[in-house]
Amino acid sequence: SKAKLFDQNTDVKTSFKDVAGLEGAKEEIQEIVDFLKTPEKYTALGGKIPKGALLVGPPGTGKTLLAKAVAGEAKVPFFSLSGSDFVEMFVGVGASRVRDLFKQAKEKSPSIIFIDEIDAIGRARGKSNFSGSNDERENTLNQLLTEMDGFGTNTNVIVIAATNRADVLDKALMRAGRFDRQIYVDLPDVRERKEIFEVHLRPIKKVAEELDIEFLAKQTPGFSGADIANVCNEAALIAARKGNKAVGKQDFLDAVDRIVGGLEKKNKIIT
Ligand code: ATP
């Protein structure tokens, strides 16, 4: 299959309603929605609109979802790519691909560029990494910095990047005028897990009436939003396999066990 540089979605349906919990992060990122919708209001007194925001937090906590919701709320095109794909698939052409991406985003502005796993490109320069040549990665990173610095004040393209390794990032990325806003996206607490369950129970055709969502939230400490989405889907499959008409408590508990098993395996490989 042909490697794709980036995805482009000009009709994003995701909104803040799809993002459960994360009240603080949503409040902070609302500012970016406003910048995209009414830039004139903000630049009236000579202020400059920020060019970038960095979402920092563990895997599966909704960083991509939140960035997409910004595009949906502001009704602007969403250009997205993953840093790791970038380094692995575009050896020798990373910098020119970055140029292409920014060119297209500018043509469609106001718009959002979302870079997932920015650490794959944005690791501190001069430190080795394991994928691809380091020169190549540095060229790509330099091009990204150049593009962000080159934005005029009224370009109205905002770059949102995500990472779970803010500590390894090149400090140059965080300088004023680049990713100078950082937003933390943490694992959900019990109340937030309940809200995430509610979101992901929506697509399930029939949930047993007596299902206690608070109980499920209490049974899933340490689960991310992605893990909870997974639990809901697994529970629906488990119930269907049994030929049940509704998804019930035991199906959810079995699904939780299965996900916990998967998480334990993953951790074993790492340590
Ligand atoms: P990664 O670091 O692995 O890229 P991420 O933080 O970008 O992860 P997402 O890709 O946004 O996480 O989350 C994966 C899926 O998990 C989402 O599409 C959604 O279904 C679910 N999810 C995660 N967080 C939330 C949340 N806060 N509310 C509702 N659903 C969530």
Side-chain angles (χ1 to χ4, degrees):
S1 72
K2 196 163 168 286
K4 195 161 33 129
L5 165 66
F6 54 80
D7 286 316
Q8 184 184 338
N9 184 345
T10 49
D11 186 24
V12 179
K13 302 278 191 233
T14 311
S15 74
F16 284 150
K17 279 206 297 287
D18 301 305
V19 187
L22 301 180
E23 290 312 322
K26 278 198 263 187
E27 204 169 292
E28 283 183 67
I29 214 162
Q30 172 65 44
E31 193 185 27
I32 294 183
V33 175
D34 297 338
F35 290 147
L36 289 163
K37 280 168 91 170
T38 53
E40 336 66 66
K41 178 174 159 193
Y42 291 91
T43 52
L45 297 176
K48 295 194 189 86
I49 287 176
K51 298 168 181 176
L54 187 64
L55 303 180
V56 182
T61 46
K63 299 183 289 299
T64 305
L65 189 66
L66 191 59
K68 210 181 248 178
V70 171
E73 294 280 343
K75 300 191 174 58
V76 303
F78 185 71
F79 293 85
S80 64
L81 61 88
S82 150
S84 60
D85 287 354
F86 217 83
V87 171
E88 281 155 27
M89 300 198 292
F90 303 105
V91 178
V93 293
S96 71
R97 298 296 173 132
V98 168
R99 252 192 319 270
D100 286 353
L101 167 67
F102 277 77
K103 184 164 171 278
Q104 292 210 33
K106 277 186 249 181
E107 280 169 14
K108 294 252 162 74
S109 81
S111 61
I112 286 182
I113 292 176
F114 176 66
I115 307 176
D116 201 4
E117 298 180 63
I118 181 110
D119 40 289
I121 328 177
R123 225 165 256 269
R125 282 168 286 192
K127 293 212 183 103
S128 84
N129 77 333
F130 299 101
S131 54
S133 119
N134 223 36
D135 286 350
E136 163 66 8
R137 194 185 55 75
E138 284 183 17
N139 288 340
T140 306
L141 172 58
N142 288 334
Q143 188 61 37
L144 174 65
L145 299 176
T146 304
E147 291 291 345
M148 289 183 81
D149 292 345
F151 279 178
T153 36
N154 39 26
T155 313
N156 218 3
V157 176
I158 296 186
V159 188
I160 301 179
T163 184
N164 39 48
R165 295 294 317 272
D167 56 312
V168 303
L169 290 182
D170 197 310
K171 294 288 168 284
L173 281 165
M174 267 82 100
R175 211 166 290 152
R178 295 171 179 166
F179 296 100
D180 49 8
R181 279 175 161 64
Q182 296 188 22
I183 299 174
Y184 289 88
V185 177
D186 257 326
L187 283 171
D189 63 20
V190 66
R191 190 185 51 80
E192 292 171 311
R193 290 198 299 276
K194 182 171 176 243
E195 289 173 29
I196 298 173
F197 266 109
E198 278 158 1
V199 166
H200 291 281
L201 287 173
R202 275 186 221 148
I204 296 184
K205 293 234 169 80
K206 193 145 182 32
V207 176
E209 262 154 45
E210 69 284 1
L211 187 75
D212 180 351
I213 302 174
E214 210 160 308
F215 169 77
L216 292 178
K218 283 183 189 146
Q219 295 302 306
T220 47
F223 276 44
S224 67
D227 296 331
I228 292 171
N230 226 336
V231 165
C232 293
N233 192 63
E234 276 296 327
L237 295 177
I238 290 169
R241 186 188 304 128
K242 291 189 218 150
N244 293 348
K245 291 275 173 286
V247 191
K249 178 177 173 181
Q250 194 53 48
D251 305 314
F252 281 96
L253 290 177
D254 291 348
V256 168
D257 279 347
R258 180 171 289 183
I259 307 296
V260 168
L263 291 176
E264 277 169 1
K265 251 186 236 149
K266 234 195 286 173
N267 290 338
K268 244 177 232 149
I269 293 166
I270 294 165
T271 54

